[in-house]
Amino acid sequence: MGYEPQADFGTPASDAIASVTLNIDGRETTVPAGTTVMRAAAEMGTSIPKLCATDSLKQFGSCRLCLVEIDGRRGTPASCTTPVEPGMVVRTQSPTLHKLRKGVMELYISDHPLDCLTCPANGDCELQDQAGAVGLREVRYGYAGENHLESAKDQSNPYFDFDPSKCIACSRCVRACDEVQGTLALTMDGRGFASKISAGTAADDFLSSECVSCGACVQACPTSTLQERKVAEIGTPDRSVVTTCAYCGVGCTFRAEMRGEQLVRMVPWKDGKANRGHSCVKGRFAWGYANHQERILNPMIRESIDQPWREVSWEEAFTHAASEIRRIQAKYGRESVGGITSSRCTNEETFLVQKLIRAGFGNNNVDTCARVCHSPTGYGLKTTFGTSAGTQDFDSVMQADVILIIGANPTDGHPVFASRMKRRLRQGAKLIVIDPRRTDIVRSPHIEAAHHLALRPGTNVAVLTAMAHVIVTEGLAAEAFVRERCDWDEYSHWAEFVSQSRNSPEALEPVTMVNPAELREAARLYATGGNAAIYYGLGVTEHSQGSSTVMAIANLAMATGNIGREGVGVNPLRGQNNVQGACDMGSFPHELSGYRHVSDASARALFESEWGVAIDPEPGLRIPNMLDAAVEGTFKALYVQGEDILQSDPNTKHVSAGLAAMECVIVHDLFLNETANYAHIFLPGSTFLEKDGTFTNAERRIQPVRKVMTPMNGLADWEVTQGLANALGLDWNYNHPSQIMDEIARLTPSFTGVSFERLDAMGSIQWPANEAAPDGTPVMHIQGFVRGKGKFVVTDYIPTDEKTGPRFPLLLTTGRILSQYNVGAQTRRTDNVVWHAEDVLEIHPIDAEDRGLRDGDWARLASRAGETTLRILVTDRVAPGVVYTTFHHPTTQANVITTDYSDWATNCPEYKVTAVQVAASNGPSDWQESYEALSHRSRRIEAEAAE
């Protein structure tokens, strides 16, 4: 599409059902009651001049440009703050209005730099546009008086500049930070002529302030006061493409605004149903990795990992890879090879990888990164509800009266959704947080959790069982709902179990370390506070009882009737952009797409008919099994698309041993990641900007990913997989990802109503989308559960095998930070490193003092699995006895510390509970030094021979 700014109607739309008819400039129009005159005029094509108004913010009425005349009313009211009334007669243009608006504009321009021709906003400036709209041709007041033209520019933020000399004090940036983001980092300081935007205290600049660089202020600014640096560097865009962000599981929709083949900026799309026009620092600004100098653009091969890489053609790479796979299978057997799909790639690409393994390799040895994050969600929710996904759309949170967050840090991990959640909390919803760490949402501007249950890591099941004990024994369960919607006998058995005195908050306090009185109050609030919604993350799933915790959450929701309508539900916050889609597409070794077990003959028959091959009825190997088998000598080749298991998976030493034991590791990625240290074939990948396809976010929303630029490596990822498949003799002939989606729809019941044509028409579709729900399903289980009756499951607390003791007295838990993403492969190659240049270890002041450690000291972090060193941050965010770190930087080697313990049902690793010791250190560990040397050797690329 060409470049056309998204329409701005000045004020938000009204959601009223009743309508009002009025007359504007001699034409009748009918709009919902509550609509402003400004919006009513804009919807009929009449633009009223404005500067302080924008439809993403509440009405403000400060600029005085949008004045109108209304019959029967004195004066000239502001159209942005005047609601329509039946029979109202409005004039948007008259000699009086022209004179008033022109006078107001003269005042603005008299204190504004006249550098329009060299200004980066030239041609994209609302002040410039409105000056033309009001007919301004001269400024009578001159420019000699007191002004703000010499105000110093703030260039502290790596992505945008703040030039106060161009500020018109419209407050749009301040209001955006308040209403859209909810951080309240900006304020209007001073009064009258002295008014100015301030980012915190007088000593603060944008970088040092509480600004989270979400970009809402930049988007709201009508001038170039807040301006992306890329616009100044490249110029204003000349075309745009609507696509979907490739970071977290929120799945924000953006306009990629281009100039030729150069990306100028990513602007959140106001019609995006997941983000509603908002963004975070990653999606808005951190896309520079796409053309980073470390990106690999040519296929490469080498005989052994000690050799430098040699660049080859795509044809040679595919032929060599296929030859190695067939050689290994001939020598070691059909089961000796496998693959890992990517939660960062599209549904279509993921589907092809699992198809390649099942149809080309001839086995079910396929797994995905969801194994190490949300596989317990799939198991737990399928067992209790019948589907392996969350129940609500994101809009549902605005109907919640009580929000329970357990094991999730949405302000860092899912910031755009967190902003919407905070908006609801500021409106009066109550918040319960169950987390060993005091996350930002526990206490932030105008928000404070009613209850923060700072449990001991690893005791989620015990806390939820204690809450269930209170609900059942105090008669707070929704028995009518349970009798109608759930299996009553199973409920009775569960209720009897949780009612036992050993499951009371008091009895479990020595285990959970949670105050029993506070826990009881939290349980009562959840059960009786109105619509109650549960949101959870990896702090639930990445435990030895991850599946049990998911089922305990489902039990709680069913017992209180908080399922099957807006404002309630059980909602996993997915970590990566397409974790949900990777699971949907059949990336697990025991399931085909749509979560049908490979032992199901009827399901297999569909695929066998479509693909023309027999499918093994036996489940294949999970990632941990592949590594174990590699060490044992029976698993010899691995194709890894878009995942870095050496950095992301637990017990790094065991992962490296498994990879080193393989004869052929094929890495398909953007960069020579950590796993590529052990690779023999490297297939360069494409970014989300260079491909067509779909992602499925945490709310089951299937959204289009559209190609914005030509792939720098020459091929989209689906084409790479197809090239490898054809080298293996599969004869695939896809010409476009839409054909792959059509195949997915034919084979997957929940996707039968999905196609690229429908996605283009509707914008997005939430599965299931089929004959029963042709337009998708925003809220699930409304009339009944997918499995029939909801299933209550007894979830007894079983302590983890990972124990603290004299050698390892502390518990380590891990998580993410706002500015970085997953293993950091993308965000570390952007200016986001300004905020998080290294992983640090959070430690409580008591524990730090006991060890003679001060803020910023180097510390040795050791567990039974290994050790590493990193700097410490002394903070009371964590409780005594608990330490916390992130895993974004490979130099930290955080997963050298984590162990092989995993969820009993799914093998999801227990990242969140590791017994450790912390002591003073002088520098890197032996492992870190040896690993750095290995990485350096492994990344050598053979120079081209001189001609």
Side-chain angles (χ1 to χ4, degrees), residues 325 328-329 333-341 353 356-358 361-367 621 626 634-641 662 664-666 724:
I325 290 167
I328 288 169
Q329 286 188 306
R334 181 167 52 88
E335 300 292 333
S336 62
V337 302
I340 299 174
T341 73
V353 172
L356 168 71
I357 293 161
R358 291 191 161 104
F361 295 3
N363 61 47
N364 289 313
N365 293 338
V366 58
D367 210 349
L621 300 176
M626 295 181 196
T634 59
F635 188 87
K636 289 294 184 178
L638 181 67
Y639 170 42
V640 188
Q641 183 191 66
M662 298 181 197
C664 181
V665 175
I666 305 169
L724 178 56

Side-chain angles (χ1 to χ4, degrees), residues 697-762:
N697 74 352
E699 51 174 355
R700 298 168 284 102
R701 187 180 300 282
I702 307 159
Q703 301 186 99
V705 178
R706 297 186 176 96
K707 185 163 74 172
V708 183
M709 59 180 68
T710 304
M712 293 175 65
N713 64 333
L715 298 175
D717 290 326
W718 66 270
E719 294 175 298
V720 175
T721 303
Q722 176 166 270
L724 178 56
N726 288 337
L728 286 164
L730 292 185
D731 193 26
W732 291 357
N733 294 290
Y734 303 106
N735 296 312
H736 190 269
S738 60
Q739 297 169 320
I740 307 171
M741 177 53 76
D742 291 341
E743 182 175 324
I744 294 168
R746 290 193 298 271
L747 295 172
T748 313
S750 55
F751 276 66
T752 56
V754 181
S755 67
F756 275 41
E757 291 76 15
R758 296 205 72 211
L759 287 169
D760 285 340
M762 298 176 64

Side-chain angles (χ1 to χ4, degrees), residues 181-183 210-212 405 408-413 415 418 421-422 425 431 433 435 437-449 452 816-819 842 873 875-877 884:
Q181 168 56 28
T183 298
E210 293 182 350
C211 169
V212 294
I405 302 172
N409 183 7
T411 51
D412 280 23
M421 186 182 285
K422 289 192 290 185
L425 292 170
L431 176 64
V433 176
D435 199 291
R437 184 169 171 263
R438 190 184 72 242
T439 56
D440 285 343
I441 205 163
V442 172
R443 189 179 303 120
S444 58
H446 303 288
I447 293 171
E448 184 162 5
H452 175 207
R816 299 182 179 187
I817 199 164
L818 170 64
S819 59
E842 292 186 5
L873 174 65
T875 175
D876 62 358
R877 276 181 177 268
Y884 169 89

Side-chain angles (χ1 to χ4, degrees), residues 17-18 110 119 137 185 200 358 404 495 506 598 659 710 751 854 883:
I17 297 175
S110 70
C119 177
R137 298 295 178 264
R358 291 191 161 104
L404 192 161
E506 291 75 18
V598 293
L659 291 170
T710 304
F751 276 66
R854 293 178 296 179
V883 292

Side-chain angles (χ1 to χ4, degrees), residues 17-253:
I17 297 175
S19 61
V20 169
T21 299
L22 70 159
N23 184 292
I24 299 177
D25 292 337
R27 292 188 292 161
E28 275 198 355
T29 185
T30 300
V31 294
T35 301
T36 64
V37 170
M38 174 179 282
R39 186 174 184 102
E43 288 182 356
M44 60 183 289
T46 298
S47 178
I48 299 175
K50 58 181 171 57
L51 284 173
C52 72
T54 181
D55 58 14
S56 61
L57 303 173
K58 297 174 186 174
Q59 304 89 308
F60 196 59
S62 72
C63 75
R64 312 311 296 169
L65 269 185
C66 71
L67 307 176
V68 293
E69 294 175 342
I70 301 175
D71 283 2
R73 291 199 186 184
R74 297 176 58 186
T76 51
S79 61
C80 69
T81 57
T82 302
V84 297
E85 294 179 2
M88 179 181 276
V89 177
V90 179
R91 282 178 298 281
T92 68
Q93 190 68 21
S94 73
T96 299
L97 294 173
H98 176 71
K99 182 177 180 181
L100 289 171
R101 291 171 183 159
K102 191 173 178 181
V104 169
M105 184 58 74
E106 281 187 274
L107 292 171
Y108 280 119
I109 298 300
S110 70
D111 192 17
H112 196 82
L114 298 181
D115 61 348
C116 291
L117 292 180
T118 57
C119 177
N122 185 25
D124 189 23
C125 173
E126 291 181 45
L127 182 66
Q128 190 180 55
D129 294 342
Q130 298 306 331
V134 303
L136 184 67
R137 298 295 178 264
E138 62 177 344
V139 178
R140 293 169 295 168
Y141 307 112
Y143 303 95
E146 189 176 357
N147 58 53
H148 302 89
L149 300 181
E150 301 303 320
S151 300
K153 186 182 290 189
D154 179 350
Q155 296 182 300
S156 60
N157 190 286
Y159 295 117
F160 61 84
D161 294 333
F162 171 60
D163 186 352
S165 71
K166 297 183 177 181
C167 180
I168 60 173
C170 65
S171 292
R172 276 165 57 165
C173 60
V174 177
R175 291 148 54 207
C177 192
D178 176 358
E179 298 173 24
V180 179
Q181 168 56 28
T183 298
L184 288 83
L186 305 181
T187 187
M188 182 66 77
D189 199 14
R191 301 183 65 184
F193 185 78
S195 297
K196 63 178 182 179
I197 301 299
S198 174
T201 67
D204 281 323
D205 54 25
F206 267 80
L207 186 62
S208 64
S209 73
E210 293 182 350
C211 169
V212 294
S213 299
C214 67
C217 60
V218 178
Q219 185 174 359
C221 182
T223 68
S224 65
T225 305
L226 287 158
Q227 182 70 64
E228 291 105 327
R229 290 185 181 174
K230 284 293 182 182
V231 174
E233 177 186 325
I234 299 173
T236 52
D238 58 18
R239 66 182 180 93
S240 65
V241 180
V242 176
T243 190
T244 303
C245 180
Y247 277 117
C248 78
V250 173
C252 296
T253 308

